[in-house]
Amino acid sequence: MSRSRTSGGRAIARTHITGAGIAATTATILFALLWLVLPATQSQLGYANLRLGVLLLAPPLVAFAHQLTHREVDVLSPWILLPLTTWLTFAAGPTVLLASNQPAEAELLVDTLSIGALSYFLGVFTSLNWARQRRRPTSVPPVSRRAILIPFAVGACAMAWYWARAGGIPAIGPDSETARIAALTGSGIPFYLSMLLMVSVWIMAAGRSDLPRPIQLSLAFVAVVLLASTGWRNVPFALLAVSLLLLFYRRVVSLRTLILGVVMAVVGAVGFGIYRAVSSGITHYETSKLALNGQYGAAIWVYLRDYTATFSRNLVDVVQLAERSVPEWGETFVWNILALMPGSDREPFDLVLKQRLGLGFQGGGLPPTMMGELLLNFGQVGLIIGMFLIGILASRVHGMLSSSSMAARIVAALTLYFMVSAIRGGIGNVLFNVLWLSLATVAILAILSPETSERVKR
């Protein structure tokens, strides 16, 4: 510890993050050994839940406890955010599958998640020396008005183009499900150009503009409303989530405020999803029936309960498909990018996957999930190597959040958000978003606000 004291705050910070990583990794190894020697007389449900808790919940809790002892709470750590989100997404899976008399499917789910989790943590541990403790920038760089207003204007015009392709505003139309999918079929260029609204707001959140605060808040509000009009709840949610991440690393945000923001965002996303289902005529679901009867609290609870069960079933379905299919060899990662090409008749891969599985439920497609898509493309080897690389990437992205470059911080925040989204939605569903929004951010700041880059260099 003497070296840390003589080397300054940065060395101390590195010691703390390394300590948290070692503590979490040690706990993972011990719990994994415990899982291997458990007696076979344990109930299948208890055994399944214990394995998921040990491999996905224990390491984040150990890392969080270690942070609290050093007063360095950072829930965005690679030891916490992605594994905790994975656990929340699939936690109800074993219970639901066993209650449906599907023990083989429950075991398949837990085995897949266990292999993926161990590979992910190994990747995080490998990149320990690259990870840095959270360090807020010493100053918030100035940003030109042009870097905010021009992408905002382009995004707003693209939104009008998107409405024209959809035949109206999907979010308030009689069938938002059909309208939003129709607007992407053939060419999704208007939709993706409208995402420049997000870049505009993120630049405001990460930089210092001379635009009056009321105007900045008005622009952010209009951007949320316009993006919500697309019928895709993930888009306005991404805008708000990434903005919150940028503010979290720009100024002190209490844990209470962060939790409150997350709860409000989740409730808003759930409410939007229920509204979309009801407005599209999908009324046979229990959540829709409860909402139509005015039982909104119960509708939200049932929605959240079924949410984790749905993605657990999705993962099982995709794993079983991968076992009997020829590997895709990475094609699903670029499928949606190829679908954007002018004249392309490709449907989004979610819809194609639903058709391959012979499922005919109403609504959109079937998200392959992150681990399911790795298996679908490269089999078990792909799951192990892929989750290992994702663990390394999560550590690198977390370190970028404390960069002195505003562009790097925005790219890191949006990448981290879409990595979380990919846990349930799949890699191909977010890859183009990450590439497009990262390139747009770097280009806008370099061309429209060069003084920001110059300030960083000095």
Side-chain angles (χ1 to χ4, degrees), residues 95-132:
T95 303
V96 172
L97 291 171
L98 289 173
S100 303
N101 196 27
Q102 296 177 289
E105 286 78 2
E107 184 175 0
L108 182 63
L109 172 68
V110 176
D111 286 346
T112 301
L113 293 172
S114 300
I115 294 171
L118 287 172
S119 301
Y120 169 83
F121 284 122
L122 182 59
V124 175
F125 180 76
T126 301
S127 60
L128 265 180
N129 292 331
W130 300 340
R132 294 185 299 173

Side-chain angles (χ1 to χ4, degrees), residues 108-333:
L108 182 63
L109 172 68
V110 176
D111 286 346
T112 301
L113 293 172
S114 300
I115 294 171
L118 287 172
S119 301
Y120 169 83
F121 284 122
L122 182 59
V124 175
F125 180 76
T126 301
S127 60
L128 265 180
N129 292 331
W130 300 340
R132 294 185 299 173
Q133 175 62 30
R134 178 162 62 91
R135 176 177 56 84
R136 299 181 184 87
T138 56
S139 63
V140 179
V143 62
S144 169
R145 288 188 176 194
R146 297 174 302 171
I148 297 172
L149 298 178
I150 291 180
F152 188 93
V154 174
C157 292
M159 186 62 70
W161 186 9
Y162 175 84
W163 291 341
R165 287 183 56 83
I169 301 177
I172 61 176
D175 189 352
S176 62
E177 290 284 351
T178 301
R180 67 188 183 128
I181 293 173
L184 292 181
T185 303
S187 175
I189 293 177
F191 174 72
Y192 288 101
L193 281 177
S194 71
M195 287 186 174
L196 291 177
L197 290 165
M198 290 196 286
V199 177
S200 174
V201 176
W202 293 339
I203 290 175
M204 284 193 296
R208 185 177 73 253
S209 171
D210 61 355
L211 283 172
R213 180 55 60 87
I215 292 181
Q216 293 188 39
L217 294 176
S218 297
L219 290 174
F221 176 77
V222 171
V224 171
V225 173
L226 290 177
L227 291 170
S229 75
T230 62
W232 299 92
R233 62 186 167 188
N234 191 42
V235 186
F237 192 82
L239 168 63
L240 295 173
V242 175
S243 298
L244 185 62
L245 292 182
L246 292 169
L247 292 173
F248 182 66
Y249 273 79
R250 173 176 167 177
R251 61 173 65 94
V252 176
V253 177
S254 68
L255 187 60
R256 180 185 302 176
T257 301
L258 188 64
I259 293 175
L260 179 61
V262 171
V263 170
M264 292 178 62
V266 169
V267 171
V270 171
F272 189 87
I274 294 174
Y275 165 77
R276 191 176 65 192
V278 172
S279 66
S280 299
I282 306 176
T283 57
H284 63 282
Y285 291 152
E286 185 179 359
T287 51
S288 300
K289 294 177 181 178
L290 291 170
L292 289 171
N293 291 330
Q295 298 174 275
Y296 301 114
I300 291 175
W301 167 251
V302 172
Y303 187 98
L304 290 172
R305 181 199 66 192
D306 293 345
Y307 180 89
T308 58
T310 297
F311 288 109
S312 295
R313 293 184 186 278
N314 288 358
L315 178 55
V316 170
D317 287 341
V318 174
V319 172
Q320 291 176 331
L321 177 64
E323 290 176 344
R324 62 177 186 267
S325 303
V326 176
E328 297 289 339
W329 301 116
E331 184 179 2
T332 70
F333 297 154

